[in-house]
């Protein structure tokens, strides 16, 4: 959070305004990079891993790689989780749910 004096010295991008907090400080809202900024980064930076597809599987791979310290880039054609892995994940989730119900009915409680 920024104090009032600090907030007055900050130069913000066009269209971005500081958000005032109840305690009198201000914060700068986070803005995701534009598509052009992302494309430029992909062309000019080096990455340890490039994940193609932002469905459940691709997002999971990207998260795992980044938590292991790898510089990770993820590209997606449409919206995240709009592709095939989102549908297969729903199938797996449903299958696990029915499997759990089957075990509950067959295995007596402790």
């Amino acid at each position: 959070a920024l104090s009032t004096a600090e907030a007055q010295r900050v130069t913000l991008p066009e269209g971005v305004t500081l958000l005032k907090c109840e305690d009198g400080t201000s914060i700068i809202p986070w803005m995701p990079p534009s598509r052009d900024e992302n494309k430029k980064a992909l062309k000019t930076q080096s990455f340890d891993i490039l994940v193609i597809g932002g469905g459940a599987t691709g997002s999971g791979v990207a998260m795992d790689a980044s938590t292991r310290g790898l510089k990770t880039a993820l590209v997606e054609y449409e919206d995240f989780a709009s592709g095939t892995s989102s549908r297969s994940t729903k199938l797996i989730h449903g299958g696990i749910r029915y499997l759990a119900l089957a075990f509950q009915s067959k295995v007596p409680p402790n």
Side-chain angles (χ1 to χ4, degrees):
L2 302 171
S3 68
T4 304
E6 291 170 321
Q8 291 173 349
R9 291 192 303 267
V10 173
T11 304
L12 297 173
E14 186 177 325
V16 176
T17 57
L18 288 173
L19 300 175
K20 300 283 185 188
C21 301
E22 291 178 2
D23 64 0
T25 60
S26 300
I27 59 171
I28 301 170
W30 180 79
M31 301 287 292
S34 69
R35 185 172 179 82
D36 288 336
E37 290 170 326
N38 282 331
K39 285 169 40 178
K40 182 180 177 186
L42 287 169
K43 290 177 183 178
T44 59
Q45 296 179 25
S46 295
F47 296 92
D48 297 318
I49 185 169
L50 171 64
V51 180
I52 301 172
T57 305
S59 296
V61 167
M63 185 182 78
D64 183 67
S66 64
T67 58
R68 293 171 188 261
L70 298 173
K71 188 169 179 184
T72 306
L74 178 122
V75 293
E76 170 57 44
Y77 179 71
E78 293 183 21
D79 289 334
F80 287 101
S82 67
T84 57
S85 69
S86 69
R87 288 185 279 282
S88 61
T89 304
K90 290 174 190 164
L91 175 65
I92 291 168
H93 172 70
I96 291 171
R97 182 172 157 244
Y98 290 116
L99 186 59
L101 290 173
F103 276 111
Q104 286 174 0
S105 64
K106 304 241 187 236
V107 178
N110 290 336

